[in-house]
Amino acid sequence: MASIWRYILAGLGLAALLVGIVAVVYLRLPHSVSGPDLSRSKKTSNGLFVASFEPERGVVRQGELQSWLLTLKTAAGAPVEGAAITVSGGMPQHDHGLPTSPQATDYLGEGRYRIDGVKFTMGGWWQLHFAISAAAGSDTVVFNIVL
Amino acid sequence: MRRLTSVTCLLALAALALLGGCGEPQFSDAEKKTIASMALSTLPSLKPDTTNRYADAPAAAALGSTLFFDVGMSRDGTVSCSTCHKIDRQFQDDLPQAVGVGHTNRRTMPLAGVARNPWFFWDGRRDSLWAQALTPLENPLEQAGNRAAFAHYIEKRFGERYERIFGPLPNLSTVPANASPLGTDAEKAAWNVMAAAQQDDVNRVYANIGKAIAAFERSIEPQQTRFDRFAIDLATGAKPEGDAAFSPEEILGLKLFIGKANCVTCHNGPRFTDNAFHNTGVPPVEGLPPDRGRVDAAAQVEADPFNCLGKFRDGDDSACRELRFMVKDGPQIMRAYKTPSLRGAADRPPYMHAGQFSTLEEVVAHYSKAPPSVEGVSEVHPLDLSDRERAALVAFLKTLSD
Ligand SMILES: [Cu+2]
């Protein structure tokens, strides 16, 4: 009888070991946690425009004052001209705003607006809010950037 | 049967040791990446300062160094830049608040890497190194001089050296001995009756004094430390030898610094600063005048005639984006102060913008406790670090000084 218990004990030990290994391997895998929506192109909140937001030089560099491009199209795909744009934002998990005051400084044609003075001073989740006013009406959009 | 059980246990232990990282690999890949980003070797070369065309002119730096150490550059001939920025003390003075002609309300900042700052002073009330250098010269508590007197002094003592760098001095013969828009009532009155062109002439000489001092200060750069040697070895996979090897306590401190204690959030990059302003709930000092930090400084830098958008800047205004896009108001800059570099910090107590804390232990305890700010909102949240964890953070900080 005693030997059967030993077998059961050993079996349990092996099972526990297997579970442990699987758990550790799983925890170490780089899996995407459901975080903020990181898309760089999206519809504005009321669906008035399609907005795209990209760093002008292609890369985001922490601690550098950079310019970004906000491209605005109507739902039908026509470029939005003459838009008034205000920018705000911050780090939702840190309860602070942006370290700079980015502004729409230039209209580059084809619905593209230069948003200059963007700086991300620390790693983590940043949000940029845009309030957009154009002939078609006013709408807002939020872009998430994770460094 | 006993053998099977013990084999199972051994296997389990071996697997745990392997996966749990009890052995050599002490840092995750993410931690290694963060540590590498803080090594001095990642510091880029110093960018040219287009707002100061003399920034990299050796003759300007030489004149600037003379002026930096010259007590003649003060009202009573007793105070120079080096009175507070002591060359053998990391260019700071070990005092809770600087003492020039009078007693100021702020801690002297060290100068290593100063030319890399976008903002100057604890509150960023100046936006270039040369505009910064001009400010203590006329502060009644620091060098307490006035720009007309400085222009005359430069002509008398350093006229030839000045002209070789900056070109001919203006005719100063009818400029009052003492005059400044920021001085005493008599100095202000004397300034106000000067012709605009003459004010301009004096301002130009004055700006050039700042540009020469800035050219000198650009040469003051941070030095490699034990941490940097450790970081290089970690990045290259070499086993840290000698003083590059970290003790278990220093390793714990480094892990906390870049992990649970969140220090690296603001103290990031090879200079251990994000160059930004934060309210971290540091208490005011009793007896000092009210101090609201960045919120007042933003207005001051905007009004400074020597700022980047003013007429004394060299080059074009593309260099002025920090000023152009600065945050000018709002609750987040109330009692916000610049993140200081931590390089060399262990050797220069006391700490914070008015020397509030006399030891690193007190600093770490402050961030662990995270008391609310007297005004505005502190960005720091309580960490409740153990005694052992706080001591480990201090041990790690010391590796940035050795
Ligand atoms: Cu943050």
Side-chain angles (χ1 to χ4, degrees):
Chain A
M1 275 317 276
S3 68
I4 287 174
W5 283 112
R6 281 201 185 133
Y7 275 108
I8 290 173
L9 210 66
L12 278 175
L14 277 170
L17 176 65
L18 205 71
V19 167
I21 291 172
V22 167
V24 170
V25 166
Y26 176 77
L27 285 173
R28 294 204 154 198
L29 278 180
H31 51 269
S32 58
V33 197
S34 63
D37 156 33
L38 296 178
S39 56
R40 293 268 171 89
S41 190
K42 59 177 77 170
K43 268 193 177 157
T44 53
S45 349
N46 292 322
L48 225 52
F49 312 112
V50 175
S52 311
F53 190 54
E54 297 281 350
E56 189 166 0
R57 299 224 167 118
V59 283
V60 190
R61 302 178 79 108
Q62 187 176 319
E64 271 183 31
L65 208 48
Q66 293 192 301
S67 60
W68 287 58
L69 295 181
L70 181 73
T71 306
L72 299 175
K73 301 263 162 87
T74 64
V80 176
E81 309 220 311
I85 299 162
T86 58
V87 192
S88 58
M91 293 187 85
Q93 293 165 323
H94 293 181
D95 296 325
H96 63 72
L98 297 174
T100 57
S101 298
Q103 291 162 29
T105 54
D106 305 279
Y107 181 60
L108 305 171
E110 290 154 39
R112 293 176 307 142
Y113 297 82
R114 177 176 286 128
I115 309 296
D116 201 0
V118 178
K119 195 194 230 184
F120 303 112
T121 42
M122 52 179 74
W125 171 23
W126 292 85
Q127 280 189 327
L128 280 176
H129 301 244
F130 294 92
I132 302 151
S133 249
S138 296
D139 210 346
T140 61
V141 65
V142 178
F143 285 96
N144 297 296
I145 290 127
V146 174
L147 263 71
Chain B
M1 215 27 260
R2 189 158 288 157
R3 188 177 296 153
L4 180 56
T5 317
S6 42
V7 166
T8 311
C9 290
L10 262 177
L11 264 174
L13 276 176
L16 280 178
L18 202 71
L19 292 159
C22 315
E24 261 309 291
Q26 289 154 315
F27 296 98
S28 68
D29 287 349
E31 285 175 326
K32 283 184 182 169
K33 204 177 149 205
T34 304
I35 294 166
S37 74
M38 306 186 312
L40 192 61
S41 50
T42 65
L43 190 71
S45 57
L46 188 56
K47 275 189 277 190
D49 176 1
T50 56
T51 74
N52 174 6
R53 82 171 80 140
Y54 313 100
D56 295 310
L63 176 60
S65 112
T66 304
L67 299 176
F68 187 93
F69 295 100
D70 181 6
V71 290
M73 293 292 286
S74 62
R75 171 179 300 266
D76 59 3
T78 61
V79 178
S80 68
C81 305
S82 70
T83 301
C84 299
H85 297 289
K86 296 183 190 303
I87 189 167
D88 55 346
R89 290 298 308 139
Q90 297 187 45
F91 292 95
Q92 56 84 48
D93 57 10
D94 301 317
L95 298 171
Q97 297 104 35
V99 178
V101 169
H103 193 127
T104 75
N105 63 336
R106 293 273 175 79
R107 174 82 173 94
T108 301
M109 303 193 94
L111 297 184
V114 68
R116 298 164 180 279
N117 291 348
W119 301 105
F120 299 82
F121 294 110
W122 280 100
D123 52 15
R125 65 186 182 275
R126 290 295 179 271
D127 67 341
S128 73
L129 192 49
W130 59 271
Q132 188 285 330
L134 299 176
T135 313
L137 290 172
E138 288 196 325
N139 182 332
L141 301 175
E142 296 183 63
Q143 279 146 290
N146 64 82
R147 61 194 70 177
F150 287 125
H152 288 300
Y153 181 72
I154 290 290
E155 182 176 47
K156 189 174 86 186
R157 290 290 309 276
F158 307 108
E160 216 174 285
R161 282 175 75 183
Y162 177 99
E163 292 193 333
R164 259 185 275 139
I165 302 160
F166 301 107
L169 275 157
N171 178 2
L172 298 172
S173 60
T174 60
V175 170
N178 296 290
S180 166
L182 302 180
T184 61
D185 288 347
E187 287 160 9
K188 280 183 201 156
W191 181 261
N192 289 335
V193 298
M194 285 166 61
Q198 197 168 45
Q199 291 177 346
D200 238 44
D201 285 345
V202 172
N203 279 337
R204 180 78 51 193
V205 176
Y206 193 48
N208 286 339
I209 291 172
K211 288 176 182 178
I213 294 173
F216 161 62
E217 291 177 315
R218 280 169 69 81
S219 64
I220 307 167
E221 284 275 57
Q223 303 299 311
Q224 205 186 55
T225 65
R226 271 188 65 212
F227 164 73
D228 300 303
R229 292 189 280 278
F230 173 84
I232 287 172
D233 284 345
L234 187 69
T236 57
K239 187 172 159 50
E241 299 283 352
D243 80 345
F246 269 22
S247 71
E249 189 182 36
E250 289 162 346
I251 286 177
L252 173 64
L254 171 54
K255 275 179 166 286
L256 287 165
F257 188 91
I258 63 175
K260 177 181 164 189
N262 299 322
C263 311
V264 79
T265 304
C266 297
H267 293 287
N268 60 38
R271 295 184 61 228
F272 288 74
T273 172
D274 62 354
N275 292 311
F277 303 92
H278 304 276
N279 180 333
T280 59
V282 176
V285 175
E286 218 176 305
L288 292 184
D291 192 333
R292 308 197 313 157
R294 181 63 176 162
V295 78
D296 291 329
Q300 291 171 25
V301 68
E302 202 168 30
D304 176 28
F306 300 101
N307 74 19
C308 191
L309 294 169
K311 62 174 150 187
F312 303 102
R313 174 204 73 226
D314 300 314
D316 64 41
D317 69 2
S318 64
C320 309
R321 288 160 71 240
E322 288 281 356
L323 181 62
R324 197 172 162 203
F325 300 110
M326 80 170 167
V327 175
K328 292 176 186 165
D329 45 37
Q332 81 175 61
I333 57 172
M334 171 59 74
R335 278 191 72 78
Y337 298 89
K338 189 163 67 182
T339 310
S341 173
L342 299 181
R343 290 187 169 276
D347 287 338
R348 47 164 205 267
Y351 302 104
M352 305 306 183
H353 62 271
Q356 282 92 334
F357 302 133
S358 44
T359 62
L360 282 181
E361 284 78 5
E362 282 178 47
V363 175
V364 173
H366 170 82
Y367 283 117
S368 179
K369 197 165 166 241
S373 179
V374 293
E375 219 178 336
V377 180
S378 171
E379 291 178 30
V380 189
H381 304 291
L383 295 164
D384 296 319
L385 299 173
S386 68
D387 289 356
R388 178 170 161 262
E389 289 173 323
R390 292 201 309 274
L393 275 170
V394 172
F396 165 65
L397 289 172
K398 288 181 178 166
T399 70
L400 291 166
S401 287
D402 304 338

